[in-house]
Amino acid sequence: MACSETQKLVAEYLGGEMTVAQRTACEYHFSVCEDCRQAVDGLAGTAGRLLHWEQVTIPDWDRTASTAEEVSAQKTRPEVVPLNTRSRQIPGGWQSWLPLAATVALAVFLGWNQDSGLSEQELTAYLDAFEQRQQAQTQRIMETAMQEFGDSTSDSMAQLVEWIQAQRTADMQQLEASFQQMLNHDYQALSSMQQLASWVSTQEP
Amino acid sequence: MERTELALIQRAIQGQPDAWQALVRTHETRVYNFGLRMTGSVDDAQDLLQEVFFSAYQNLSGFRQDAQFSTWLMRIAYNRAVDQARRRKVRDADPLPTSTETVDDRPGPAAETQSQQRNQQLQSWLAALPLEQRMVIELKFFQEMTFDDIASLESISPNTAKTRFYAGLARLKTLMGDCDGLF
């Protein structure tokens, strides 16, 4: 049967908080308790390895930054790491699909327009449908983000929501501007479509 | 607390930057190494360093001068480290930090390289612990706090601190396995 005192005794023994008398009593217990003896023998080496840490000299850094106004403004905000940096990316590289989607939409529309002469009403309907799809995508992104950022503060979540919404709005405006530009100039040739696709692709943030 | 340090604190409160920088220089290595072990990453340790001293400077006027400045600073470091871990919780589930994040690749003597490798290995093992176990191991072994002090800092019971300490060591033992090469 396992000793009920093992965790407490071993922690106190290896934690170095015992008096000499306590250590002596504890060591006697270890000598008669197989569970505790095995535990302390195994973990003493582990604790010893931790003590191999060698102090690292700090690289050069700006010691005055902690008193600077701009740092104050920066550091008092709840941090929202940009989603396209470091390890806090939302899976799926969701930003990258937007220029591609816009490009495909332009290509489909242009081909459609050349074939059938798309009216402004049809264009509006198409844009509405595209926006609905994008809203659904945003919803999915938000659900993923909510799971990943479950422990974030409400402020940082609000910033995240605001940021994603701004991205989505900007992309829609860009897409609409692209369509409008196409209508205004009455692009007819495939080369023009390719130029448009290329132009949209270069807008990737 | 040393009179010199108390004088520096008082001068820093009055807005004298050289006094504040002297305080930072005194304690920065301890805070930075705490950050390295807690985050497993040079980048995050530097971020934590900035956050800790920024927070300390902002709250310096509220420092009780009968307390130890180092203890007060490490309490801030603890809080900032917990905040940072929560913000980057996803990283806790990630694999161990990559070598590019943890290794200082500046050329140096072989002995220094070996100590860097040992530190890197220790960082990796510590990074694999749950935050609550890593924190107790850090506070006990490296900050040399008592279980009562750890319990007070973390708002847990001393027995919980001991249980986390034991569990953390047991987990580290498994992680370390038979790795004797560097130690």
Side-chain angles (χ1 to χ4, degrees):
Chain A
M1 184 175 175
C3 176
S4 61
E5 294 294 304
T6 299
Q7 291 194 9
K8 179 174 176 290
L9 285 180
V10 172
E12 289 174 351
Y13 185 79
L14 295 179
E17 292 185 30
M18 289 180 162
T19 63
V20 173
Q22 287 171 327
R23 285 187 73 84
T24 303
C26 198
E27 285 165 358
Y28 173 75
H29 175 79
F30 293 158
S31 72
V32 297
C33 176
E34 181 68 18
D35 292 331
C36 288
R37 185 168 61 250
Q38 283 187 1
V40 78
D41 285 350
L43 298 184
T46 304
R49 280 180 176 169
L50 289 175
L51 300 179
H52 280 87
W53 177 271
E54 292 191 29
Q55 204 80 311
V56 178
T57 304
I58 189 169
D60 287 338
W61 70 296
D62 183 5
R63 293 176 183 82
T64 63
S66 55
T67 63
E69 289 293 325
E70 57 268 29
V71 174
S72 172
Q74 179 187 344
K75 292 293 182 183
T76 51
R77 287 196 302 269
E79 181 183 348
V80 176
V81 178
L83 295 177
N84 59 347
T85 61
R86 306 184 78 167
S87 64
R88 203 173 181 175
Q89 290 182 342
I90 292 178
W94 68 279
Q95 280 178 289
S96 62
W97 75 272
L98 287 167
L100 176 63
T103 305
V104 171
L106 280 170
V108 169
F109 166 74
L110 189 56
W112 189 2
N113 191 30
Q114 286 177 334
D115 291 343
S116 60
L118 189 66
S119 69
E120 187 170 348
Q121 188 177 12
E122 289 171 312
L123 173 61
T124 303
Y126 181 80
L127 281 174
D128 287 344
F130 182 83
E131 184 170 8
Q132 284 174 6
R133 286 198 300 275
Q134 203 170 31
Q135 283 175 339
Q137 178 75 358
T138 302
Q139 178 68 27
R140 189 187 66 76
I141 291 164
M142 285 307 304
E143 287 171 0
T144 305
M146 287 296 288
Q147 288 175 354
E148 293 205 6
F149 291 73
D151 288 339
S152 297
T153 65
S154 57
D155 285 346
S156 60
M157 276 308 302
Q159 284 192 343
L160 175 65
V161 170
E162 187 180 346
W163 184 84
I164 290 177
Q165 188 64 26
Q167 289 289 310
R168 197 184 65 78
T169 302
D171 286 322
M172 279 306 299
Q173 288 171 347
Q174 178 183 307
L175 182 64
E176 290 183 27
S178 301
F179 274 110
Q180 192 58 50
Q181 182 183 10
M182 183 176 64
L183 286 173
N184 291 342
H185 293 83
D186 191 23
Y187 287 98
Q188 293 180 350
L190 183 60
S191 61
S192 299
M193 182 193 74
Q194 289 171 335
Q195 286 173 8
L196 258 180
S198 174
W199 179 82
V200 172
S201 295
T202 60
Q203 302 307 303
E204 183 177 0
Chain B
M1 182 165 47
E2 289 182 19
R3 290 178 62 185
T4 309
E5 189 162 79
L6 185 57
L8 286 173
I9 292 168
Q10 288 169 340
R11 286 174 52 208
I13 291 172
Q14 291 164 3
Q16 296 185 25
D18 60 328
W20 174 246
Q21 286 184 44
L23 281 170
V24 172
R25 285 182 190 278
T26 303
H27 297 281
E28 63 186 7
T29 301
R30 185 180 183 187
V31 173
Y32 180 62
N33 280 263
F34 167 86
L36 284 174
R37 290 186 298 264
M38 286 304 300
T39 68
S41 152
V42 170
D43 288 342
D44 287 347
Q46 289 177 345
D47 287 349
L48 188 67
L49 183 74
Q50 297 260 7
E51 290 185 24
V52 168
F53 282 107
F54 171 75
S55 181
Y57 186 78
Q58 295 298 106
N59 295 287
L60 198 56
S61 59
F63 169 65
R64 280 177 32 247
Q65 300 189 355
D66 57 336
Q68 284 287 329
F69 183 73
S70 60
T71 304
W72 180 76
L73 195 64
M74 290 314 295
R75 179 176 289 272
I76 293 174
Y78 164 80
N79 288 326
R80 296 277 75 80
V82 170
D83 286 349
Q84 191 185 68
R86 285 177 177 159
R87 289 198 304 267
R88 298 175 180 163
K89 189 177 180 181
V90 67
R91 183 170 291 185
D92 279 353
D94 283 351
L96 301 179
T98 63
S99 58
T100 55
E101 285 179 307
T102 55
V103 173
D104 183 348
D105 57 4
R106 288 176 297 181
E112 185 179 332
T113 301
Q114 192 174 28
S115 81
Q116 286 175 350
Q117 289 174 342
R118 271 201 299 266
N119 279 5
Q120 184 192 348
Q121 184 62 74
L122 287 170
Q123 281 178 255
S124 298
W125 285 329
L126 288 167
L129 293 181
L131 175 65
E132 59 189 22
Q133 293 175 10
R134 193 187 327 151
M135 185 61 84
V136 174
I137 295 283
E138 167 67 29
L139 296 176
K140 185 69 203 166
F141 273 119
F142 297 103
Q143 305 305 323
E144 300 178 345
M145 293 174 68
T146 65
F147 285 118
D148 285 347
D149 288 342
I150 294 169
S152 174
L153 179 63
E154 298 205 58
S155 300
I156 57 177
S157 73
N159 277 340
T160 300
K162 291 171 190 171
T163 301
R164 289 179 181 178
F165 178 75
Y166 181 90
L169 280 180
R171 173 83 175 125
L172 283 172
K173 180 174 180 283
T174 303
L175 290 165
M176 290 177 181
D178 296 325
C179 177
D180 288 325
L182 288 169
F183 294 91

Tab-separated table of all heavy atoms in Angstrom, chain B residues 66-87:
chain	number	residue	atom	x	y	z
B	66	ASP	N	9.568	49.125	3.909
B	66	ASP	CA	10.065	48.196	4.927
B	66	ASP	C	10.186	46.785	4.349
B	66	ASP	O	10.632	45.862	5.025
B	66	ASP	CB	9.126	48.178	6.141
B	66	ASP	CG	7.705	47.803	5.768
B	66	ASP	OD1	7.329	48.004	4.602
B	66	ASP	OD2	6.976	47.293	6.638
B	67	ALA	N	9.771	46.613	3.109
B	67	ALA	CA	9.850	45.301	2.460
B	67	ALA	C	11.148	45.196	1.657
B	67	ALA	O	11.862	46.180	1.466
B	67	ALA	CB	8.654	45.104	1.546
B	68	GLN	N	11.419	43.996	1.194
B	68	GLN	CA	12.576	43.784	0.326
B	68	GLN	C	12.196	44.176	-1.097
B	68	GLN	O	11.194	43.679	-1.628
B	68	GLN	CB	12.997	42.322	0.355
B	68	GLN	CG	13.751	41.898	1.607
B	68	GLN	CD	15.174	42.451	1.628
B	68	GLN	OE1	15.790	42.640	0.582
B	68	GLN	NE2	15.678	42.734	2.820
B	69	PHE	N	13.011	45.016	-1.707
B	69	PHE	CA	12.716	45.416	-3.085
B	69	PHE	C	12.753	44.202	-4.011
B	69	PHE	O	11.924	44.059	-4.915
B	69	PHE	CB	13.730	46.461	-3.560
B	69	PHE	CG	13.457	46.969	-4.952
B	69	PHE	CD1	12.389	47.830	-5.197
B	69	PHE	CD2	14.254	46.582	-6.022
B	69	PHE	CE1	12.128	48.288	-6.490
B	69	PHE	CE2	13.998	47.031	-7.307
B	69	PHE	CZ	12.937	47.890	-7.537
B	70	SER	N	13.713	43.302	-3.773
B	70	SER	CA	13.833	42.127	-4.645
B	70	SER	C	12.593	41.233	-4.539
B	70	SER	O	12.124	40.687	-5.541
B	70	SER	CB	15.092	41.337	-4.306
B	70	SER	OG	15.051	40.899	-2.961
B	71	THR	N	12.063	41.095	-3.329
B	71	THR	CA	10.851	40.281	-3.139
B	71	THR	C	9.670	40.928	-3.852
B	71	THR	O	8.870	40.253	-4.517
B	71	THR	CB	10.538	40.147	-1.629
B	71	THR	OG1	11.673	39.600	-0.980
B	71	THR	CG2	9.337	39.249	-1.407
B	72	TRP	N	9.562	42.240	-3.695
B	72	TRP	CA	8.482	42.989	-4.354
B	72	TRP	C	8.591	42.851	-5.874
B	72	TRP	O	7.606	42.624	-6.570
B	72	TRP	CB	8.598	44.451	-3.916
B	72	TRP	CG	7.567	45.377	-4.479
B	72	TRP	CD1	6.262	45.494	-4.099
B	72	TRP	CD2	7.783	46.358	-5.507
B	72	TRP	NE1	5.648	46.481	-4.833
B	72	TRP	CE2	6.549	47.030	-5.703
B	72	TRP	CE3	8.878	46.742	-6.274
B	72	TRP	CZ2	6.399	48.058	-6.637
B	72	TRP	CZ3	8.727	47.764	-7.199
B	72	TRP	CH2	7.503	48.400	-7.370
B	73	LEU	N	9.827	42.945	-6.365
B	73	LEU	CA	10.039	42.846	-7.809
B	73	LEU	C	9.695	41.446	-8.320
B	73	LEU	O	9.083	41.289	-9.386
B	73	LEU	CB	11.509	43.162	-8.114
B	73	LEU	CG	11.865	43.457	-9.565
B	73	LEU	CD1	11.164	44.714	-10.052
B	73	LEU	CD2	13.380	43.624	-9.703
B	74	MET	N	10.070	40.416	-7.554
B	74	MET	CA	9.786	39.059	-8.005
B	74	MET	C	8.285	38.756	-7.933
B	74	MET	O	7.782	37.918	-8.683
B	74	MET	CB	10.574	38.037	-7.182
B	74	MET	CG	12.073	38.055	-7.447
B	74	MET	SD	12.540	38.106	-9.213
B	74	MET	CE	11.912	36.532	-9.779
B	75	ARG	N	7.583	39.436	-7.033
B	75	ARG	CA	6.119	39.282	-7.025
B	75	ARG	C	5.534	39.840	-8.329
B	75	ARG	O	4.647	39.252	-8.929
B	75	ARG	CB	5.527	40.014	-5.810
B	75	ARG	CG	4.017	39.930	-5.714
B	75	ARG	CD	3.527	40.593	-4.427
B	75	ARG	NE	3.864	39.808	-3.253
B	75	ARG	CZ	3.101	38.839	-2.756
B	75	ARG	NH1	1.955	38.551	-3.336
B	75	ARG	NH2	3.471	38.168	-1.685
B	76	ILE	N	6.071	40.988	-8.761
B	76	ILE	CA	5.633	41.543	-10.045
B	76	ILE	C	5.999	40.583	-11.171
B	76	ILE	O	5.193	40.319	-12.080
B	76	ILE	CB	6.295	42.921	-10.279
B	76	ILE	CG1	5.765	43.933	-9.274
B	76	ILE	CG2	6.050	43.402	-11.715
B	76	ILE	CD1	6.466	45.282	-9.331
B	77	ALA	N	7.207	40.036	-11.094
B	77	ALA	CA	7.649	39.093	-12.141
B	77	ALA	C	6.727	37.875	-12.195
B	77	ALA	O	6.376	37.404	-13.282
B	77	ALA	CB	9.089	38.662	-11.875
B	78	TYR	N	6.362	37.393	-11.029
B	78	TYR	CA	5.438	36.253	-10.976
B	78	TYR	C	4.119	36.612	-11.681
B	78	TYR	O	3.631	35.861	-12.535
B	78	TYR	CB	5.173	35.857	-9.519
B	78	TYR	CG	3.960	34.975	-9.348
B	78	TYR	CD1	4.028	33.612	-9.605
B	78	TYR	CD2	2.733	35.514	-8.960
B	78	TYR	CE1	2.920	32.801	-9.476
B	78	TYR	CE2	1.616	34.709	-8.823
B	78	TYR	CZ	1.710	33.354	-9.084
B	78	TYR	OH	0.605	32.570	-8.966
B	79	ASN	N	3.560	37.760	-11.315
B	79	ASN	CA	2.272	38.153	-11.909
B	79	ASN	C	2.370	38.342	-13.418
B	79	ASN	O	1.488	37.939	-14.173
B	79	ASN	CB	1.766	39.446	-11.252
B	79	ASN	CG	1.281	39.223	-9.833
B	79	ASN	OD1	0.735	38.168	-9.526
B	79	ASN	ND2	1.494	40.193	-8.973
B	80	ARG	N	3.447	38.981	-13.848
B	80	ARG	CA	3.614	39.208	-15.286
B	80	ARG	C	3.813	37.883	-16.037
B	80	ARG	O	3.346	37.701	-17.140
B	80	ARG	CB	4.795	40.140	-15.555
B	80	ARG	CG	4.631	41.551	-15.016
B	80	ARG	CD	3.828	42.456	-15.974
B	80	ARG	NE	2.408	42.173	-15.956
B	80	ARG	CZ	1.583	42.606	-15.030
B	80	ARG	NH1	2.013	43.334	-14.041
B	80	ARG	NH2	0.300	42.313	-15.088
B	81	ALA	N	4.555	36.966	-15.400
B	81	ALA	CA	4.788	35.664	-16.047
B	81	ALA	C	3.482	34.888	-16.191
B	81	ALA	O	3.239	34.245	-17.226
B	81	ALA	CB	5.800	34.853	-15.238
B	82	VAL	N	2.646	34.966	-15.168
B	82	VAL	CA	1.351	34.279	-15.247
B	82	VAL	C	0.493	34.915	-16.331
B	82	VAL	O	-0.139	34.220	-17.140
B	82	VAL	CB	0.631	34.324	-13.873
B	82	VAL	CG1	-0.803	33.829	-14.003
B	82	VAL	CG2	1.392	33.480	-12.853
B	83	ASP	N	0.498	36.252	-16.369
B	83	ASP	CA	-0.265	36.952	-17.417
B	83	ASP	C	0.220	36.548	-18.803
B	83	ASP	O	-0.567	36.273	-19.706
B	83	ASP	CB	-0.119	38.476	-17.266
B	83	ASP	CG	-0.923	39.012	-16.097
B	83	ASP	OD1	-1.742	38.253	-15.554
B	83	ASP	OD2	-0.704	40.176	-15.724
B	84	GLN	N	1.546	36.540	-18.957
B	84	GLN	CA	2.113	36.214	-20.265
B	84	GLN	C	1.761	34.787	-20.671
B	84	GLN	O	1.420	34.532	-21.827
B	84	GLN	CB	3.638	36.387	-20.230
B	84	GLN	CG	4.289	36.323	-21.597
B	84	GLN	CD	5.809	36.367	-21.507
B	84	GLN	OE1	6.440	35.442	-21.030
B	84	GLN	NE2	6.384	37.456	-21.973
B	85	ALA	N	1.824	33.886	-19.715
B	85	ALA	CA	1.497	32.484	-20.024
B	85	ALA	C	0.035	32.352	-20.429
B	85	ALA	O	-0.308	31.565	-21.317
B	85	ALA	CB	1.791	31.606	-18.817
B	86	ARG	N	-0.833	33.122	-19.801
B	86	ARG	CA	-2.251	33.067	-20.168
B	86	ARG	C	-2.472	33.625	-21.559
B	86	ARG	O	-3.260	33.098	-22.326
B	86	ARG	CB	-3.078	33.834	-19.141
B	86	ARG	CG	-3.233	33.080	-17.842
B	86	ARG	CD	-3.988	33.880	-16.815
B	86	ARG	NE	-4.176	33.109	-15.595
B	86	ARG	CZ	-4.427	33.636	-14.406
B	86	ARG	NH1	-4.525	34.953	-14.285
B	86	ARG	NH2	-4.575	32.876	-13.351
B	87	ARG	N	-1.765	34.722	-21.849
B	87	ARG	CA	-1.928	35.317	-23.180
B	87	ARG	C	-1.426	34.384	-24.262
B	87	ARG	O	-1.925	34.363	-25.373
B	87	ARG	CB	-1.156	36.643	-23.268
B	87	ARG	CG	-1.751	37.779	-22.462
B	87	ARG	CD	-1.209	39.127	-22.959
B	87	ARG	NE	0.233	39.190	-22.946
B	87	ARG	CZ	0.958	39.668	-21.934
B	87	ARG	NH1	0.363	40.109	-20.848
B	87	ARG	NH2	2.266	39.709	-21.993
